[in-house]
Amino acid sequence: MGRYVARRLLQMVPVFLGTTLLIFLMVYTLPGDPVAGLFGDKGADPATIAKIRHDLGLDLPIMQQYWNYMTDIVLHFDFGNQIASGRPVTDVLGDAFPVTIRLTALAFLIELVLGLGLGIIAGLRAGRLADNLILIVTLLIISIPVFVLGFIIKTVFAFQLGWIEPNVNDPEDWSQLLAPAIVLGGLSLAYVARLTRTTMAENLRADYMRTAVAKGLPRRRVIGVHLMRNSMIPVVTFLGTDIGALMGGAVVTEGLFNVQGVGGTIYQSIIRREGTTLVGLVTILVLVYLLASLLVDLLYAVLDPRIRYA
């Protein structure tokens, strides 16, 4: 196991470098000049713009800029400064990520509990009324765009019923994060429910299930040990990769509910062409994806004893 983890960590290095390089190139080849944008419509003297670009290192070749950026991150954990405000990007990350982590954790909990619960009910009652109702509801959720679902929840539960606040004023208040968490995790919840239902319905007809029943094992053990552990492998794969998707895909949700997290910061960085901030945020998300992928692979051996890592 230790050698497998070490090998996977080494494999992450070229993946991390390749991903961050791609993101860096995409960000810094966007049209527009962030330095010229500091002066608005009035413009500025070309010599002044050239001096600022030189001070920021933006006049260097793109690969030299990437090398300097990655060197600062690896050696000093320095993500640079924002171009407009001069504020360290680490401070921006420190403000944005805790908010998004709380929102993501709540959305993931809703996705995990409701998605697995509905999927288990549908899988054990495949072809019956409960199964059909769950399939219809989840299909409806999948068909509704995120911004439409968020608008419906705000209109009904905030403006008409007054049960929730229309915007998040205190991101440390978990009750205010409930509505955006439902919107953020709604689509994933539907996918988890349908995936769980499909894998359980297939495994119910497997030979090992008939053998377990024929041996006279209690129903709780047949379902809880034999059926669930084998059915959860594809679900765990989806859940593991969805953690990063929830953190990075909250742009629309955070904008709807005025949540000042990673999504809103990414949106503002794109508008202002704050390359250092945007690359720093996405770099952290890449690390989250890689670590979640490693954790999922390790969980396979827990769920299926037949899996062994050399």
Side-chain angles (χ1 to χ4, degrees), residues 36-89:
L38 295 175
F39 300 94
D41 297 333
K42 298 180 180 180
D45 181 63
T48 302
I49 294 179
K51 183 179 185 305
I52 296 176
R53 289 180 59 83
H54 177 73
D55 293 339
L56 296 174
L58 297 178
D59 57 344
L60 297 173
I62 188 68
M63 294 307 299
Q64 182 64 41
Q65 293 184 45
Y66 175 73
W67 172 259
N68 294 338
Y69 181 79
M70 294 305 299
T71 302
D72 290 337
I73 290 179
V74 174
L75 297 181
H76 309 291
F77 198 70
D78 182 9
F79 288 85
N81 299 325
Q82 284 188 325
I83 297 176
S85 64
R87 186 185 179 193
V89 175

Side-chain angles (χ1 to χ4, degrees), residues 87 90-108 167-178 180-181 184 243 246-248 250-251 253-255 257-266 281 284-285:
R87 186 185 179 193
T90 51
D91 292 347
V92 179
L93 299 179
D95 292 340
F97 265 96
V99 177
T100 298
I101 288 174
R102 284 192 289 269
L103 177 60
T104 301
L106 188 56
F108 187 77
N167 294 315
V168 176
N169 301 315
D170 183 9
E172 296 185 358
D173 186 354
W174 291 90
S175 62
Q176 294 189 24
L177 293 176
L178 182 59
L184 181 61
I243 294 177
L246 290 175
M247 294 187 66
V251 177
T253 304
E254 291 185 0
F257 292 91
N258 193 32
V259 181
Q260 303 301 317
V262 171
T265 306
I266 289 177
L281 288 168
I284 299 298
L285 292 177

Side-chain angles (χ1 to χ4, degrees), residues 12-24 70 97 244-245 247-248 278-294:
M12 287 182 183
V13 175
V15 175
F16 175 75
L17 293 177
T19 307
T20 52
L21 175 60
L22 180 61
I23 296 168
F24 194 90
M70 294 305 299
F97 265 96
M247 294 187 66
L278 184 57
V279 173
L281 288 168
V282 179
T283 299
I284 299 298
L285 292 177
V286 169
L287 290 174
V288 172
Y289 269 108
L290 293 175
L291 293 176
S293 176
L294 175 60

Side-chain angles (χ1 to χ4, degrees), residues 15-297:
V15 175
F16 175 75
L17 293 177
T19 307
T20 52
L21 175 60
L22 180 61
I23 296 168
F24 194 90
L25 294 176
M26 292 175 63
V27 170
Y28 281 92
T29 53
L30 290 174
D33 188 349
V35 177
L38 295 175
F39 300 94
D41 297 333
K42 298 180 180 180
D45 181 63
T48 302
I49 294 179
K51 183 179 185 305
I52 296 176
R53 289 180 59 83
H54 177 73
D55 293 339
L56 296 174
L58 297 178
D59 57 344
L60 297 173
I62 188 68
M63 294 307 299
Q64 182 64 41
Q65 293 184 45
Y66 175 73
W67 172 259
N68 294 338
Y69 181 79
M70 294 305 299
T71 302
D72 290 337
I73 290 179
V74 174
L75 297 181
H76 309 291
F77 198 70
D78 182 9
F79 288 85
N81 299 325
Q82 284 188 325
I83 297 176
S85 64
R87 186 185 179 193
V89 175
T90 51
D91 292 347
V92 179
L93 299 179
D95 292 340
F97 265 96
V99 177
T100 298
I101 288 174
R102 284 192 289 269
L103 177 60
T104 301
L106 188 56
F108 187 77
L109 181 63
I110 294 172
E111 170 188 346
L112 185 65
V113 175
L114 293 182
L116 287 179
L118 293 175
I120 291 172
I121 294 173
L124 294 177
R125 293 169 172 80
R128 301 179 184 176
L129 177 61
D131 177 35
N132 294 327
L133 289 177
I134 291 174
L135 289 177
I136 292 174
V137 171
T138 53
L139 180 60
L140 180 63
I141 295 176
I142 293 173
S143 304
I144 300 177
V146 174
F147 65 92
V148 175
L149 180 61
F151 179 76
I152 292 174
I153 290 180
K154 284 190 67 171
T155 301
V156 175
F157 294 100
F159 298 127
Q160 295 183 0
L161 299 177
W163 290 357
I164 61 174
E165 294 291 334
N167 294 315
V168 176
N169 301 315
D170 183 9
E172 296 185 358
D173 186 354
W174 291 90
S175 62
Q176 294 189 24
L177 293 176
L178 182 59
I182 293 174
V183 175
L184 181 61
L187 180 62
S188 299
L189 182 155
Y191 282 125
V192 169
R194 295 176 73 89
L195 183 59
T196 304
R197 181 261 179 198
T198 301
T199 55
M200 290 190 65
E202 291 178 354
N203 287 323
L204 276 172
R205 298 188 296 268
D207 292 338
Y208 70 88
M209 288 296 297
R210 287 193 289 267
T211 302
V213 174
K215 290 170 62 178
L217 295 178
R219 178 176 173 80
R220 179 180 301 178
R221 181 172 177 82
V222 172
I223 295 176
V225 177
H226 296 276
L227 178 61
M228 291 297 298
R229 289 179 65 175
N230 287 279
S231 300
M232 287 300 102
I233 291 180
V235 180
V236 167
T237 302
F238 178 84
L239 290 173
T241 56
D242 196 49
I243 294 177
L246 290 175
M247 294 187 66
V251 177
V252 176
T253 304
E254 291 185 0
L256 281 172
F257 292 91
N258 193 32
V259 181
Q260 303 301 317
V262 171
T265 306
I266 289 177
Y267 176 76
Q268 293 298 327
S269 299
I270 295 174
I271 297 298
R272 300 172 184 173
R273 205 181 178 278
E274 284 283 356
T276 52
T277 306
L278 184 57
V279 173
L281 288 168
V282 179
T283 299
I284 299 298
L285 292 177
V286 169
L287 290 174
V288 172
Y289 269 108
L290 293 175
L291 293 176
S293 176
L294 175 60
L295 180 61
V296 167
D297 287 345

